[in-house]
Amino acid sequence: MSETYVTMKIREAMAQAQGSRAQAQRILMAWALADEQLMRGLCKPFLKGITGAAIERAYRGGPAVPAMAPAAAAPSGATSRRAPAPQRLTQAQLDAIVARMGGTRLANQPPILNGAPPPKSEGTVKQAASVKALAAAFHRKKF
């Protein structure tokens, strides 16, 4: 598995492709599938990343060996498929979920953001006065 062998095969593929990088890549991939020494030489620099990705996929419960993507198997003119759009829940479904959790959802009640309740009205006035006092304390006079 010498680096010179891999380099020689890369140059040979580029010469056969007559300057087309895409064609040279296809030629080199075909040769690598038939030549184990070439495959090992091409993959060796990336082996750590490949194995790390395989372990991460197995850790997350995904397939150990990923299947070929539809875009890679399709002809070059085909477009890749997008992931399906997330489905939205209806009002009845939301109410059923909230009821199972032991609460009630009011349609006219503003949503609670980040788990914090909405601010109270008297706190808003006090907070505004505090912010104004801080701004006045840091206000510099212009000469």
Side-chain angles (χ1 to χ4, degrees), residues 1-10 35 37-39:
M1 266 193 305
S2 67
E3 187 176 326
T4 57
Y5 176 71
V6 174
T7 304
M8 180 188 72
K9 291 303 248 181
I10 292 170
D35 184 353
Q37 184 180 2
L38 179 59
M39 177 71 83

Side-chain angles (χ1 to χ4, degrees), residues 57-105:
R57 226 180 354 265
Y59 182 74
R60 283 189 271 144
V65 179
M68 183 174 257
S76 60
T79 59
S80 63
R81 293 185 178 191
R82 292 184 182 172
Q87 296 179 351
R88 303 215 182 238
L89 298 175
T90 64
Q91 295 295 337
Q93 291 171 327
L94 285 173
D95 290 334
I97 291 170
V98 171
R100 285 184 194 166
M101 293 171 42
T104 57
R105 188 181 72 83

